[in-house]
Amino acid sequence: MTGGIVVVGASLAGLRAAEGLRSGGYTGPLRLVGEENRLPYNRPPLSKELLLGRLSEADVLLHGADALDATWRLGTRAVGLDVAGQRVHLDSGDSLGYDALLIATGVRPRRPANLATGPNVRTLRTVEDALALGAAIRAGQRLIVLGAGFIGCEVAASARTAGARVTLVDMSPAPLARVLGADIARRLADLHTAHGVTTHFGVGVAEATEHGVRLTDGTEVPGDLLVVGIGAEPGVDWLTEADVRLDNGVVCDEMLRVRGRDGVPIGSVWAAGDVARWPHPHEPGGQLRVEHWTNAALSGMAAAHNMLHRDDPVPFRAVPEFWSDQYGMHIRGVGCLSADCTVRIEEGALAGDRFVASYHRDGRLVGALALNATRALARWRNRITGPATASVR
Amino acid sequence: MKVSVDLDVCDGHGQCAFAAPDVFQLDDAGYLEYDPAPADALRAKVDTASRLCPVQAITVTAR
């Protein structure tokens, strides 16, 4: 086993996998390749505490990286993969042979086709992005946020909390309604208007101008800085020539083994985190790709277990979960939420500051959402996933 | 082993309670109660709990 294990992607999933490999008894060579020139760090604070200056870049580093017995190739991009030859090609010109590979290259922010990014049109994914954005907010710049998904909403909430002028724009007339259902989505959008954010829903940004932006309905919105939070693309550019199946992410079986183009699991390659797409029994259509924190950590651990137990792998069945913090309110979701579910308020009241909602599909409980009711959510969570000893925990 | 939790950082996510319910529990108000000296046999679950804490509030040491 001379090549050892290579992990491409040195963020949460890659790190948790690497830790799992060592905890699981792997003693061979372990190499991590990371595009960013930093040890792994935690992203949730980038739209919250780090943006507000309450945490520093040192504070967001993920524990466990410095204690790991591994070789780090940071500031290095993978540019190609030779599946048959079991070799990863790097932008530095060299390549890494492996006995087992974990792909954990995450996602990159989607860029709008009609807007060139520059100092006044930005995305938020990295520590650098967050530090620059935080400085701009503290300097009094007026913010326009395009995209009222969770990241856009957190940026809007953080900026507003810092006293900035904020305008929130979304193409959908009811942002997040497709996922949460119309009533709950509206309740969450109302948080922003209640805190003085100006909202324009059902329109897009046509052009960035000297004074701000012009929306697709002709409205001129003044502002100094446009932050684009319109979703993310899986980090698979380096795999387009490789013999791996790509379809909105790297396609895996339920053991997180990557499939070749012919659909057959390769056997020496796994994937975890935001980039991985895998079969899930709760998802209509059968496959999931999840961009949530808990999934990155759990799938990294699950992939590591299966890399060390090739003859008795464990299916990865963790139910997706997410949270969002806006204006001091804590939103928690678990399961496969969708507007085509029957959504019912089970505790509290939609109009109040605390509630739990259930999501049923075909009479089965498939998800739950809580506003400021995390402890109560646990009861619903267990009914979706079964006892708390499921899967690789 | 010894477990310590920075309760100033703890945000009541509860992932620790899912991963190691014998060691971590959230009470009805969302506050964490935990066993600071769990049995060594629980080490793997406690390590998992620590790695699943989104705010990295949990520290685990051998003694």
Side-chain angles (χ1 to χ4, degrees):
Chain A
M1 236 221 184
T2 50
I5 298 181
V6 170
V7 175
V8 178
S11 190
L12 178 62
L15 176 62
R16 291 292 180 256
E19 288 172 313
L21 290 168
R22 288 304 188 210
S23 296
Y26 174 68
T27 55
L30 178 55
R31 291 176 288 181
L32 289 101
V33 178
E35 181 176 42
E36 293 189 63
N37 203 12
R38 289 173 187 271
L39 284 171
Y41 59 88
N42 215 7
R43 293 196 202 274
L46 299 188
S47 54
K48 299 183 284 288
E49 296 92 335
L50 191 92
L51 197 59
L52 290 168
R54 292 177 189 165
L55 286 180
S56 71
E57 46 185 306
D59 293 328
V60 299
L61 284 175
L62 284 168
H63 303 161
D66 44 9
L68 195 62
D69 175 14
T71 304
W72 297 85
R73 294 291 301 269
L74 298 175
T76 302
R77 285 194 73 236
V79 295
L81 173 62
D82 173 0
V83 169
Q86 300 190 200
R87 188 162 287 280
V88 175
H89 294 274
L90 306 177
D91 65 353
S92 47
D94 62 329
S95 64
L96 303 179
Y98 60 82
D99 296 297
L101 171 69
L102 177 70
I103 297 172
T105 43
V107 291
R108 64 181 79 259
R110 188 174 289 145
R111 310 252 144 150
N114 64 329
L115 300 172
T117 48
N120 298 331
V121 179
R122 310 186 194 182
T123 54
L124 175 60
R125 180 70 182 167
T126 68
V127 165
E128 284 80 11
D129 295 338
L131 291 172
L133 184 55
I137 290 168
R138 281 188 293 283
Q141 296 208 330
R142 298 159 301 166
L143 219 60
I144 303 162
V145 178
L146 174 61
F150 286 114
I151 303 299
C153 283
E154 288 192 349
V155 171
S158 296
R160 193 73 200 103
T161 301
R165 286 261 304 272
V166 181
T167 305
L168 181 60
V169 179
D170 197 286
M171 279 295 312
S172 167
L176 288 176
R178 259 191 328 120
V179 174
L180 303 181
D183 294 336
I184 291 178
R186 189 177 316 116
R187 172 74 186 90
L188 297 183
D190 286 348
L191 285 177
H192 294 279
T193 45
H195 281 85
V197 172
T198 304
T199 61
H200 296 273
F201 295 151
V203 291
V205 170
E207 194 187 350
T209 70
E210 274 173 38
H211 309 290
V213 301
R214 194 177 71 252
L215 303 181
T216 49
D217 66 355
T219 308
E220 300 274 354
V221 176
D224 301 306
L225 182 51
L226 174 65
V227 180
V228 176
I230 55 172
E233 309 284 359
V236 297
D237 297 347
W238 66 292
L239 295 169
T240 50
E241 308 295 310
D243 184 16
V244 300
R245 178 165 286 193
L246 301 178
D247 179 7
N248 183 12
V250 176
V251 178
C252 303
D253 68 4
E254 60 172 357
M255 314 300 182
L256 297 176
R257 292 180 302 208
V258 174
R259 298 184 186 276
R261 283 184 179 175
D262 60 0
V264 177
I266 295 162
S268 57
V269 186
W270 286 257
D274 294 358
V275 80
R277 188 166 177 77
W278 86 102
H280 197 286
H282 289 191
E283 174 67 10
Q287 301 230 15
L288 271 184
R289 186 175 68 76
V290 174
E291 295 177 10
H292 303 317
W293 192 98
T294 314
N295 184 72
L298 283 171
S299 63
M301 295 174 184
H305 176 274
N306 289 349
M307 291 167 93
L308 299 180
H309 294 89
R310 297 203 198 188
D311 296 333
D312 57 334
V314 174
F316 180 57
R317 298 223 170 102
V319 169
E321 15 189 342
F322 65 90
W323 78 91
S324 183
D325 290 304
Q326 302 171 32
Y327 306 108
M329 312 276 255
H330 188 71
I331 301 157
R332 282 290 294 268
V334 59
C336 296
L337 309 184
S338 166
D340 64 14
C341 294
T342 303
V343 184
R344 198 159 54 220
I345 302 295
E346 302 282 356
E347 298 182 36
L350 184 61
D353 279 354
R354 182 187 177 279
F355 64 80
V356 180
S358 64
Y359 288 68
H360 285 82
R361 184 183 292 120
D362 301 329
R364 258 181 52 239
L365 180 71
V366 294
L369 184 91
L371 178 67
N372 299 326
T374 303
R375 182 74 172 87
L377 187 74
R379 289 192 285 278
W380 293 91
R381 183 185 187 282
N382 290 337
R383 288 168 53 190
I384 300 163
T385 62
T389 51
S391 189
V392 186
R393 287 264 187 156
Chain B
M1 84 188 100
K2 292 284 185 282
V3 174
S4 77
V5 180
D6 183 344
L7 292 172
D8 290 331
V9 165
C10 174
D11 211 9
H13 278 265
Q15 290 295 333
C16 55
F18 299 136
D22 295 333
V23 180
F24 301 96
Q25 277 128 37
L26 286 185
D27 70 14
D28 284 328
Y31 292 111
L32 180 68
E33 292 164 345
Y34 68 98
D35 179 354
D40 285 344
L42 293 169
R43 181 64 194 251
K45 287 191 173 178
V46 168
D47 279 342
T48 298
S50 158
R51 292 170 190 168
L52 288 177
C53 175
V55 295
Q56 306 198 99
I58 301 171
T59 307
V60 186
T61 52
R63 60 185 75 240

